[in-house]
Amino acid sequence: MTVHAHDFDADTALEPQPDGRLRAWAPEHWFVARGPNGGFLAALAARAAEQVSGRPLRSLALHFAAPPAVGPLDVTTVLERDGRSYSAASIRIEQEGRPMTLALATLGELPEDGAAWGRGAPPAATPLAETTPLPPEVTGSPAFMGNYDMRPALHEDDGHVSGAWIRARAPRALDAPLAAAMTDAWAPVAFTALQRAVIAPTLDLTIHIRRPLPPAGLAPEDHVLARFSSRLAVGGVWEEDGELWSPDGELLVQSRQLALIRERAA
């Protein structure tokens, strides 16, 4: 019997090369506007960091230097430090010798005990059973959104908060690469804040994984609740804070990205 990889794993596969680098592929079905969705590149970096360190991802900071075209990507990883509790790794994604994405990662197991607190409650959302999947063929929807099952669920009044229930389109356990991809999966909050669609390329994205993945009790077919918000835009530069919550109200992942606003051509 042939076992086929999940589409997400096939899309984010890293093939070792004789020169020590890893080879990936930027597929068109992960594109938005000129290049791949930033979450796809984050997933590649997360996978590369976990492979080089052998430890689970805790933090990933990415800077997007240029958008790759459809085609091969060269991924270079360096284990910068391998400590008793945590490792540090650098990741460089290139295409035809030019830098596309530069990243730094911190990796390590969470201690079993230690100082703990939690402030803030899960966002109030439409229950999953009362939501409807967003059709992948929605007019104007970028190609990459077809890789997810997304169900709009947050509608806060001021337009500066948005979100949805989300999972991979075909059920798959939540791990660091998929969580990293999900932090950039939903439509930018700039759309609702401005009440129009704009081009919103990401400059940098930082991801913090706050609990072991997958969390206990979260099945592959379960959705997580993604909430995104923004407080400030100046000169067309704005931030977006993201959160991924488990169905039972645990905060799993936090993210922040700095992005641009570019008006669409008339």
Side-chain angles (χ1 to χ4, degrees):
M1 180 177 66
T2 301
V3 177
H4 296 283
H6 189 281
D7 288 346
F8 180 81
D9 296 305
D11 290 342
T12 58
L14 299 170
E15 297 294 334
Q17 301 299 299
D19 61 4
R21 292 186 293 181
L22 301 168
R23 175 61 57 86
W25 184 271
E28 192 169 11
H29 60 267
W30 276 99
F31 266 48
V32 54
R34 292 175 53 209
N37 168 246
F40 170 79
L41 297 169
L44 293 181
R47 188 178 298 285
E50 290 195 329
Q51 285 187 12
V52 74
S53 69
R55 284 174 156 168
L57 184 69
R58 295 270 71 85
S59 175
L60 180 64
L62 306 109
H63 291 263
F64 300 103
V70 173
L73 298 170
D74 293 311
V75 182
T76 302
T77 58
V78 177
L79 188 61
E80 304 286 356
R81 183 178 185 275
D82 193 19
R84 286 183 298 176
S85 299
Y86 292 97
S87 298
S90 60
I91 307 97
R92 185 181 184 93
I93 301 176
E94 296 183 335
Q95 191 171 65
E96 297 182 348
R98 297 185 297 115
M100 301 287 114
T101 302
L102 308 173
L104 295 173
T106 299
L107 306 104
E109 298 282 355
L110 283 175
E112 293 184 1
D113 55 26
W117 61 81
R119 298 187 64 195
T126 305
L128 179 66
E130 299 175 15
T131 61
T132 302
L134 190 68
E137 65 277 4
V138 170
T139 302
S141 177
F144 82 90
M145 293 181 75
N147 297 290
Y148 298 106
D149 180 325
M150 292 193 283
R151 303 173 182 226
L154 297 179
H155 307 284
E156 300 191 22
D157 293 338
D158 66 359
H160 292 79
V161 177
S162 185
W165 292 103
I166 181 172
R167 72 168 197 205
R169 181 158 294 278
R172 181 189 182 279
L174 185 68
D175 61 3
L178 181 56
M182 286 180 174
T183 65
D184 195 37
W186 187 237
V189 175
F191 289 13
T192 54
L194 295 171
Q195 293 297 298
R196 65 180 185 276
V198 294
I199 300 170
T202 302
L203 295 176
D204 63 65
L205 171 63
T206 299
I207 300 162
H208 294 155
I209 296 179
R210 306 308 309 273
R211 299 183 190 273
L213 298 179
L218 187 73
E221 62 270 18
D222 289 336
H223 292 68
V224 295
L225 181 60
R227 178 185 187 271
F228 299 97
S229 63
S230 182
R231 293 193 303 173
L232 181 69
V234 177
V237 182
W238 64 292
E239 100 292 332
E240 182 176 85
D241 290 317
E243 302 168 352
L244 299 182
W245 293 81
S246 70
D248 59 0
E250 284 195 333
L251 182 58
L252 305 176
V253 180
Q254 295 169 297
S255 66
R256 167 167 280 201
Q257 62 175 281
L258 191 69
L260 303 176
I261 291 173
R262 296 285 184 260
E263 299 294 345
R264 295 179 180 270

Short mmCIF file of all heavy atoms in Angstrom, two decimals, residues 222-251:
data_model
loop_
_atom_site.label_atom_id
_atom_site.label_comp_id
_atom_site.label_asym_id
_atom_site.label_seq_id
_atom_site.Cartn_x
_atom_site.Cartn_y
_atom_site.Cartn_z
N ASP A 222 -9.80 19.05 13.85
CA ASP A 222 -10.25 20.22 14.61
C ASP A 222 -9.70 21.51 14.01
O ASP A 222 -8.60 21.55 13.46
CB ASP A 222 -9.81 20.13 16.06
CG ASP A 222 -10.56 19.05 16.84
OD1 ASP A 222 -11.69 18.72 16.41
OD2 ASP A 222 -10.03 18.57 17.85
N HIS A 223 -10.48 22.58 14.15
CA HIS A 223 -10.04 23.92 13.77
C HIS A 223 -9.44 24.63 14.98
O HIS A 223 -9.77 24.31 16.12
CB HIS A 223 -11.22 24.75 13.26
CG HIS A 223 -11.80 24.29 11.97
ND1 HIS A 223 -12.49 23.09 11.84
CD2 HIS A 223 -11.82 24.87 10.74
CE1 HIS A 223 -12.90 22.95 10.59
NE2 HIS A 223 -12.50 24.02 9.90
N VAL A 224 -8.58 25.61 14.71
CA VAL A 224 -8.17 26.54 15.75
C VAL A 224 -8.78 27.90 15.40
O VAL A 224 -9.14 28.17 14.25
CB VAL A 224 -6.64 26.65 15.86
CG1 VAL A 224 -6.05 25.33 16.31
CG2 VAL A 224 -6.00 27.11 14.55
N LEU A 225 -8.90 28.74 16.42
CA LEU A 225 -9.48 30.06 16.22
C LEU A 225 -8.36 31.08 16.04
O LEU A 225 -7.53 31.26 16.92
CB LEU A 225 -10.35 30.44 17.42
CG LEU A 225 -11.06 31.80 17.33
CD1 LEU A 225 -12.00 31.85 16.13
CD2 LEU A 225 -11.81 32.08 18.64
N ALA A 226 -8.35 31.72 14.89
CA ALA A 226 -7.33 32.72 14.57
C ALA A 226 -7.92 34.12 14.73
O ALA A 226 -8.98 34.41 14.16
CB ALA A 226 -6.83 32.53 13.15
N ARG A 227 -7.24 34.95 15.51
CA ARG A 227 -7.68 36.33 15.72
C ARG A 227 -6.53 37.26 15.34
O ARG A 227 -5.39 37.07 15.75
CB ARG A 227 -8.05 36.57 17.19
CG ARG A 227 -8.47 38.02 17.51
CD ARG A 227 -8.68 38.19 19.00
NE ARG A 227 -9.25 39.49 19.35
CZ ARG A 227 -8.52 40.58 19.61
NH1 ARG A 227 -7.20 40.52 19.56
NH2 ARG A 227 -9.11 41.72 19.93
N PHE A 228 -6.84 38.29 14.54
CA PHE A 228 -5.83 39.24 14.09
C PHE A 228 -6.34 40.66 14.37
O PHE A 228 -7.53 40.96 14.18
CB PHE A 228 -5.54 39.06 12.60
CG PHE A 228 -5.00 37.70 12.28
CD1 PHE A 228 -5.85 36.70 11.81
CD2 PHE A 228 -3.67 37.39 12.47
CE1 PHE A 228 -5.37 35.43 11.52
CE2 PHE A 228 -3.18 36.13 12.19
CZ PHE A 228 -4.03 35.14 11.71
N SER A 229 -5.43 41.53 14.82
CA SER A 229 -5.82 42.89 15.17
C SER A 229 -4.69 43.85 14.81
O SER A 229 -3.53 43.45 14.66
CB SER A 229 -6.15 43.00 16.66
OG SER A 229 -5.00 42.72 17.45
N SER A 230 -5.05 45.13 14.70
CA SER A 230 -4.06 46.17 14.43
C SER A 230 -4.42 47.43 15.20
O SER A 230 -5.61 47.78 15.31
CB SER A 230 -3.99 46.47 12.93
OG SER A 230 -3.00 47.45 12.67
N ARG A 231 -3.40 48.13 15.72
CA ARG A 231 -3.64 49.36 16.47
C ARG A 231 -3.15 50.61 15.76
O ARG A 231 -3.62 51.70 16.03
CB ARG A 231 -2.94 49.28 17.84
CG ARG A 231 -3.53 48.24 18.77
CD ARG A 231 -3.03 48.43 20.18
NE ARG A 231 -1.56 48.38 20.24
CZ ARG A 231 -0.86 48.66 21.34
NH1 ARG A 231 -1.47 49.04 22.44
NH2 ARG A 231 0.45 48.56 21.33
N LEU A 232 -2.16 50.47 14.86
CA LEU A 232 -1.52 51.67 14.35
C LEU A 232 -1.06 51.48 12.91
O LEU A 232 -0.44 50.48 12.56
CB LEU A 232 -0.30 52.02 15.22
CG LEU A 232 0.49 53.27 14.85
CD1 LEU A 232 -0.36 54.52 15.13
CD2 LEU A 232 1.79 53.33 15.62
N ALA A 233 -1.36 52.48 12.08
CA ALA A 233 -0.80 52.58 10.74
C ALA A 233 -0.30 54.01 10.56
O ALA A 233 -1.01 54.96 10.87
CB ALA A 233 -1.84 52.25 9.67
N VAL A 234 0.93 54.16 10.10
CA VAL A 234 1.52 55.48 9.87
C VAL A 234 2.26 55.45 8.54
O VAL A 234 3.12 54.58 8.32
CB VAL A 234 2.52 55.86 10.99
CG1 VAL A 234 3.16 57.22 10.68
CG2 VAL A 234 1.82 55.90 12.34
N GLY A 235 1.90 56.34 7.65
CA GLY A 235 2.59 56.40 6.36
C GLY A 235 2.48 55.12 5.56
O GLY A 235 3.39 54.78 4.80
N GLY A 236 1.38 54.40 5.74
CA GLY A 236 1.20 53.15 4.99
C GLY A 236 1.97 51.98 5.56
O GLY A 236 2.06 50.93 4.91
N VAL A 237 2.51 52.11 6.77
CA VAL A 237 3.19 51.01 7.45
C VAL A 237 2.37 50.66 8.70
O VAL A 237 2.06 51.54 9.50
CB VAL A 237 4.63 51.39 7.85
CG1 VAL A 237 5.33 50.20 8.52
CG2 VAL A 237 5.42 51.84 6.63
N TRP A 238 2.02 49.40 8.86
CA TRP A 238 1.11 49.01 9.93
C TRP A 238 1.52 47.66 10.52
O TRP A 238 2.30 46.92 9.90
CB TRP A 238 -0.33 48.94 9.40
CG TRP A 238 -0.54 47.88 8.34
CD1 TRP A 238 -0.03 47.88 7.07
CD2 TRP A 238 -1.27 46.68 8.49
NE1 TRP A 238 -0.42 46.73 6.40
CE2 TRP A 238 -1.19 45.99 7.25
CE3 TRP A 238 -2.01 46.11 9.52
CZ2 TRP A 238 -1.79 44.76 7.03
CZ3 TRP A 238 -2.62 44.89 9.31
CH2 TRP A 238 -2.51 44.22 8.08
N GLU A 239 1.02 47.40 11.73
CA GLU A 239 1.32 46.14 12.39
C GLU A 239 0.06 45.30 12.49
O GLU A 239 -1.05 45.83 12.52
CB GLU A 239 1.94 46.38 13.77
CG GLU A 239 1.00 46.24 14.96
CD GLU A 239 -0.07 47.34 15.01
OE1 GLU A 239 0.17 48.45 14.51
OE2 GLU A 239 -1.15 47.08 15.56
N GLU A 240 0.26 43.99 12.54
CA GLU A 240 -0.85 43.07 12.77
C GLU A 240 -0.43 42.05 13.81
O GLU A 240 0.58 41.36 13.65
CB GLU A 240 -1.26 42.36 11.49
CG GLU A 240 -2.45 41.42 11.66
CD GLU A 240 -2.91 40.80 10.36
OE1 GLU A 240 -2.32 39.77 9.98
OE2 GLU A 240 -3.82 41.35 9.73
N ASP A 241 -1.19 41.97 14.91
CA ASP A 241 -0.96 40.99 15.95
C ASP A 241 -1.88 39.80 15.74
O ASP A 241 -3.08 39.98 15.49
CB ASP A 241 -1.21 41.59 17.33
CG ASP A 241 -0.15 42.62 17.71
OD1 ASP A 241 1.03 42.35 17.45
OD2 ASP A 241 -0.51 43.67 18.24
N GLY A 242 -1.33 38.60 15.84
CA GLY A 242 -2.11 37.40 15.62
C GLY A 242 -2.10 36.47 16.82
O GLY A 242 -1.16 36.46 17.61
N GLU A 243 -3.17 35.70 16.96
CA GLU A 243 -3.30 34.70 18.01
C GLU A 243 -3.97 33.46 17.42
O GLU A 243 -4.93 33.58 16.65
CB GLU A 243 -4.16 35.21 19.17
CG GLU A 243 -3.66 36.48 19.82
CD GLU A 243 -4.68 37.11 20.76
OE1 GLU A 243 -5.85 36.63 20.78
OE2 GLU A 243 -4.32 38.07 21.46
N LEU A 244 -3.50 32.30 17.80
CA LEU A 244 -4.17 31.04 17.48
C LEU A 244 -4.60 30.40 18.79
O LEU A 244 -3.77 30.14 19.67
CB LEU A 244 -3.24 30.09 16.71
CG LEU A 244 -2.70 30.56 15.36
CD1 LEU A 244 -1.84 29.46 14.74
CD2 LEU A 244 -3.83 30.95 14.41
N TRP A 245 -5.91 30.14 18.92
CA TRP A 245 -6.49 29.59 20.14
C TRP A 245 -7.03 28.19 19.86
O TRP A 245 -7.62 27.93 18.80
CB TRP A 245 -7.64 30.46 20.62
CG TRP A 245 -7.24 31.82 21.11
CD1 TRP A 245 -6.97 32.92 20.34
CD2 TRP A 245 -7.06 32.22 22.46
NE1 TRP A 245 -6.65 33.99 21.14
CE2 TRP A 245 -6.70 33.59 22.45
CE3 TRP A 245 -7.19 31.57 23.69
CZ2 TRP A 245 -6.45 34.31 23.62
CZ3 TRP A 245 -6.95 32.28 24.86
CH2 TRP A 245 -6.58 33.63 24.82
N SER A 246 -6.88 27.30 20.83
CA SER A 246 -7.49 25.98 20.73
C SER A 246 -9.00 26.09 20.96
O SER A 246 -9.47 27.08 21.55
CB SER A 246 -6.88 25.03 21.77
OG SER A 246 -7.29 25.41 23.08
N PRO A 247 -9.77 25.12 20.51
CA PRO A 247 -11.23 25.18 20.73
C PRO A 247 -11.62 25.25 22.20
O PRO A 247 -12.69 25.78 22.53
CB PRO A 247 -11.73 23.88 20.09
CG PRO A 247 -10.69 23.50 19.10
CD PRO A 247 -9.39 23.94 19.69
N ASP A 248 -10.76 24.75 23.11
CA ASP A 248 -11.09 24.81 24.53
C ASP A 248 -10.50 26.03 25.23
O ASP A 248 -10.48 26.10 26.45
CB ASP A 248 -10.69 23.52 25.24
CG ASP A 248 -9.20 23.23 25.15
OD1 ASP A 248 -8.47 24.04 24.53
OD2 ASP A 248 -8.76 22.21 25.70
N GLY A 249 -10.00 27.01 24.45
CA GLY A 249 -9.63 28.29 25.02
C GLY A 249 -8.20 28.45 25.47
O GLY A 249 -7.89 29.35 26.26
N GLU A 250 -7.26 27.65 24.96
CA GLU A 250 -5.85 27.82 25.28
C GLU A 250 -5.17 28.60 24.16
O GLU A 250 -5.34 28.29 22.97
CB GLU A 250 -5.16 26.47 25.45
CG GLU A 250 -5.46 25.77 26.76
CD GLU A 250 -4.49 24.64 27.04
OE1 GLU A 250 -3.94 24.08 26.06
OE2 GLU A 250 -4.27 24.32 28.21
N LEU A 251 -4.38 29.60 24.55
CA LEU A 251 -3.60 30.36 23.58
C LEU A 251 -2.40 29.53 23.16
O LEU A 251 -1.54 29.19 23.98
CB LEU A 251 -3.15 31.69 24.18
CG LEU A 251 -2.35 32.62 23.26
CD1 LEU A 251 -3.14 32.97 22.01
CD2 LEU A 251 -1.96 33.90 24.02
#
